[in-house]
Amino acid sequence: MPLSAPVAREHLHTRTVTVRGFRRADGLYDLEGHLTDLPTGVYVHDELGEQPPGTPVHGMWLRLTIDRTLEVHDAEAVIDHWPHALCRAVEPNFKRLIGLRIGPGWRREIRQRLGGTEGCTHLVELLGPIATTAYQTLFGDLREHPVAPTEPGQPRPKPFEIDGCLSWASDGPMVKQYYPDFYTGER
């Protein structure tokens, strides 16, 4: 269902965010995010001066390489289009994500490592869609090939989607159907 009809208005800006998930040949996964900000009018770039309509203000890429437990093994940031000369200086700081795990505490850890002048507002924002795309990317693989227990005889880890949203509440019908051993509702 589309949104309701808007009042008369003028289009000023378009932000496009695209995130793609890949299974790599080495068993890891890449999540690649791309953010573009495109003003409809002229803007003034710090170094290049006046830029014509259709010239991106921001063009940014971020790749996270993760494993099946959602731990970050590598991170790479590239800023192709920027409004200020200093913007690109934060690219190497995104390596600080290595070792983090997407899940509880993810946003807090990002703020600690890349908050304020240590990061880029737009690349940090891109980590939200990348994280949710990681779940979507791994969902089918993990259902077919669950993460094994770390120790023989131990129970397997709780699947990441359980209690991640209303549909996957541990006491709800989806968990009862697909993960009965993790179901917490009435039996």
Side-chain angles (χ1 to χ4, degrees):
M1 177 168 88
L3 297 171
S4 61
V7 299
R9 58 192 186 174
E10 176 186 2
H11 180 204
L12 299 176
H13 189 86
T14 299
R15 170 170 282 185
T16 303
V17 173
T18 305
V19 182
R20 300 186 315 161
F22 302 90
R23 182 184 321 115
R24 296 168 28 142
D26 62 4
L28 297 175
Y29 299 84
D30 280 339
L31 288 305
E32 288 186 358
H34 184 227
L35 179 147
T36 305
D37 276 323
L38 210 57
T40 59
V42 172
Y43 83 93
V44 179
H45 187 280
D46 277 359
E47 297 171 274
L48 306 173
E50 196 172 277
Q51 299 298 296
T55 304
V57 176
H58 296 112
M60 304 174 167
W61 295 88
L62 186 54
R63 178 189 300 138
L64 295 187
T65 300
I66 62 172
D67 64 20
R68 292 168 56 82
T69 70
L70 302 173
E71 181 180 334
V72 178
H73 287 252
D74 197 10
E76 179 182 2
V78 174
I79 302 174
D80 289 333
H81 296 277
W82 60 90
H84 310 292
L86 289 174
C87 291
R88 296 191 71 208
V90 301
E91 290 174 343
N93 294 356
F94 283 79
K95 292 284 187 193
R96 297 175 187 173
L97 297 171
I98 296 171
L100 290 183
R101 187 176 315 278
I102 298 170
W106 170 249
R107 290 182 185 163
R108 181 184 66 251
E109 285 293 325
I110 290 169
R111 278 192 307 277
Q112 289 176 352
R113 296 172 189 220
L114 296 168
T117 59
E118 296 298 307
C120 163
T121 299
H122 310 296
L123 284 172
V124 167
E125 287 175 1
L126 189 54
L127 287 165
I130 285 175
T132 55
T133 302
Y135 286 111
Q136 297 298 319
T137 299
L138 271 67
F139 186 79
D141 267 6
L142 292 177
R143 174 137 335 134
E144 288 180 31
H145 310 286
V147 175
T150 53
E151 301 280 330
Q154 294 294 314
R156 69 184 172 112
K158 181 172 94 170
F160 64 79
E161 64 268 31
I162 295 177
D163 291 327
C165 69
L166 178 61
S167 291
W168 289 101
S170 61
D171 61 350
M174 296 294 289
V175 172
K176 184 176 185 179
Q177 178 179 349
Y178 292 103
Y179 300 111
D181 49 329
F182 291 97
Y183 179 67
T184 61
E186 292 184 30
R187 300 207 182 248

